Amino acid sequence: MATHTCFNQGRWLSQGLCISCVARLRQCDGSHRRGLFLSSRNKLFLTQTQSASKPPWRVLFFGSDDFAVESLKRLHVSRDDSTAGVIGSLEVVTLSRDAPVRKYAEQHRLPLHHWPDVDLSAQFDVGVVVSFGCLIKENIINNMPYGILNVHPSLLPRWRGPAPIFHTILHGDSVTGVTIMQIRPKRFDVGPILQQELYEVPKNCTAGELGATLAVVGSKMLMDTLKHLPERIANRKEQPKEGASFAPKISSRMAWIIWEEHSCDYIDRLFRAIGSRIPLKTMWMGNPIKLLDFVGKCRVSFTAAPYLSSVPGSVHYQKESNTLLVRCKDGWVGFKAVNFKKRLSASDFFNGYLHQSVLKKSPSTSTCLFQSYKESHLPAGHDNNMLLRNNTSF
């Protein structure tokens, strides 16, 4: 490396001095020495930036549930594939001990950080957060030269929040998708969009089925974004202000059916949205009862059963299909089983509580009626696309 002497200091300094120093070597004052320091620091910064201007990236992954595992798997496979050249190193930040992401990281011996204790000494190029559920601190975001990317299973700005897939099903959306965005501090799901793909929601799809599909779609989009990261960031777009909606966490309060208000279609969507995690519920004879094995909208022949009432909550046992039929706002829905103290098939519930021989012993107008559970704050979820008031990615 070419060098020259600053005579009044009597020391050899590396090239990188200002032009005035070359012209006036005898006038190296304090101002010039400060310039030397800044020049060296800028050169160091440029060197670091150049080394991280393209893959392979040093990635810090934040995640918790099964939806997040799909993206973590793909990052892990890419790290171990020397021909891919996208992921150079991979470390994981997770929450509880039973989180699927933590189990995967431990099983495959990936370096693990336990939130909120995140060690940034290793230096990372970019972060990835998928279904994490916690706001990431600003200092962590700023520590990543390319920020932190989020795989979000909706077409943002629609369904911002922790449960976009559940709300997609519950509201009967025909189209959804996946968004790759950069996160911003202090607020969820408001950052600029790097990539977005549409996905048509299959008819009668459950939240679990849709989540599994979008997890795969999102993981592939993530890898594509990382392959072209500088370009995607340069062309990022802010989210539009129009069309924003919030997707809060699901709650057990959502599972209560209001027979007078909920339609057959709404109950069907509610079951497909939350039924695999939270059983639908109603009240019977002053006690809560869980409604299991939903079969959808059912047709009832009133000529064959003229005694049936059209009162919402009315219960009828259909012997030929072994189904409990319940009257709702605009028709009848069916369930193959209930849980009342224990699991009972429709026939067992009928024989034990609704059969004529039982009714004769304890006649009551409410015996063949499921009551809607109501309180000052009704269970969230109303028909006709009314807003939900309840409180992961799903």
Side-chain angles (χ1 to χ4, degrees):
M1 179 181 293
T3 58
H4 73 274
T5 304
C6 235
F7 293 105
N8 66 334
Q9 295 296 316
R11 292 182 299 179
W12 289 89
L13 299 174
S14 63
Q15 189 173 9
L17 303 178
C18 58
I19 296 176
S20 61
C21 181
V22 175
R24 296 181 297 169
L25 294 177
R26 296 183 183 277
Q27 298 180 15
C28 287
D29 56 8
S31 174
H32 166 69
R33 290 195 297 274
R34 186 164 56 253
L36 278 178
F37 171 76
L38 293 174
S39 175
S40 300
R41 186 177 66 177
N42 289 339
K43 283 191 172 185
L44 177 61
F45 174 77
L46 288 172
T47 302
Q48 289 176 336
T49 303
Q50 289 169 357
S51 67
S53 64
K54 61 182 180 179
W57 309 115
R58 298 165 295 181
V59 177
L60 183 61
F61 182 87
F62 300 77
S64 60
D65 61 14
D66 289 319
F67 184 88
V69 168
E70 193 64 39
S71 289
L72 178 58
K73 284 180 180 178
R74 204 167 288 269
L75 291 170
H76 183 209
V77 169
S78 178
R79 188 205 67 173
D80 291 347
D81 182 1
S82 58
T83 62
V86 179
I87 307 301
S89 65
L90 177 62
E91 299 188 19
V92 178
V93 181
T94 191
L95 304 171
S96 63
R97 291 186 176 275
D98 58 348
V101 162
R102 177 166 176 168
K103 291 179 179 179
Y104 182 91
E106 290 176 341
Q107 180 182 354
H108 295 88
R109 299 181 179 179
L110 298 176
L112 195 58
H113 304 251
H114 307 292
W115 182 261
D117 299 321
V118 181
D119 181 9
L120 300 174
S121 61
Q123 296 187 345
F124 302 96
D125 301 311
V126 62
V128 173
V129 57
V130 186
S131 194
F132 189 56
C134 296
L135 283 171
I136 297 176
K137 297 176 182 178
E138 188 169 3
N139 69 305
I140 297 178
I141 299 173
N142 293 339
N143 194 267
M144 312 284 174
Y146 290 94
I148 298 180
L149 310 183
N150 175 223
V151 180
H152 187 83
S154 81
L155 297 176
L156 291 171
R158 184 163 176 80
W159 300 136
R160 292 171 174 166
I165 296 175
F166 287 111
H167 290 272
T168 295
I169 297 296
L170 185 60
H171 287 74
D173 292 1
S174 60
V175 177
T176 185
V178 176
T179 302
I180 307 294
M181 55 162 282
Q182 277 186 316
I183 70 170
R184 284 181 173 159
K186 300 178 183 178
R187 290 182 64 192
F188 285 110
D189 307 326
V190 296
I193 295 172
L194 276 61
Q195 187 176 356
Q196 197 168 61
E197 288 189 12
L198 276 66
Y199 180 78
E200 187 173 341
V201 180
K203 188 177 180 180
N204 298 322
C205 183
T206 66
E209 293 165 345
L210 182 60
T213 299
L214 294 184
V216 175
V217 172
S219 68
K220 292 178 179 179
M221 290 174 60
L222 172 64
M223 295 308 302
D224 182 64
T225 298
L226 288 170
K227 287 178 184 177
H228 309 94
L229 186 56
E231 177 186 351
R232 292 287 163 79
I233 290 178
N235 295 309
R236 63 191 175 185
K237 295 181 179 180
E238 294 296 327
Q239 294 184 32
K241 295 180 179 180
E242 301 78 18
S245 58
F246 183 57
K249 291 181 180 180
I250 62 169
S251 162
S252 61
R253 294 176 64 247
M254 291 179 64
W256 292 105
I257 297 179
I258 310 299
W259 302 108
E260 298 85 357
E261 299 177 12
H262 293 166
S263 68
C264 295
D265 288 342
Y266 175 82
I267 295 171
D268 175 72
R269 298 196 306 268
L270 180 62
F271 175 78
R272 290 187 288 112
I274 71 171
S276 63
R277 298 191 178 195
I278 306 174
L280 303 187
K281 297 181 291 185
T282 188
M283 296 294 291
W284 182 69
M285 302 292 288
N287 298 294
I289 184 170
K290 295 177 182 177
L291 306 170
L292 311 176
D293 302 344
F294 178 70
V295 296
K297 186 174 183 178
C298 300
R299 294 192 177 187
V300 177
S301 174
F302 283 92
T303 51
Y307 54 86
L308 280 177
S309 170
S310 60
V311 175
S314 297
V315 184
H316 168 62
Y317 173 65
Q318 191 176 66
K319 186 175 181 180
E320 56 269 29
S321 63
N322 190 23
T323 304
L324 280 176
L325 306 177
V326 189
R327 176 75 188 186
C328 60
K329 177 182 177 181
D330 62 351
W332 297 80
V333 291
F335 301 88
K336 290 287 188 180
V338 300
N339 191 312
F340 183 62
K341 300 179 182 178
K342 64 178 181 179
R343 183 184 174 92
L344 299 170
S345 67
S347 60
D348 289 338
F349 183 75
F350 170 73
N351 291 327
Y353 299 100
L354 303 180
H355 194 274
Q356 289 298 317
S357 60
V358 178
L359 296 179
K360 288 179 181 179
K361 296 179 181 178
S362 56
S364 173
T365 56
S366 61
T367 302
C368 295
L369 193 69
F370 285 158
Q371 297 89 27
S372 299
Y373 177 76
K374 296 185 177 181
E375 55 181 355
S376 57
H377 299 286
L378 292 177
H382 294 274
D383 200 19
N384 300 322
N385 291 326
M386 293 181 70
L387 293 176
L388 298 175
R389 300 186 183 89
N390 66 293
N391 249 338
T392 195
S393 178
F394 267 46

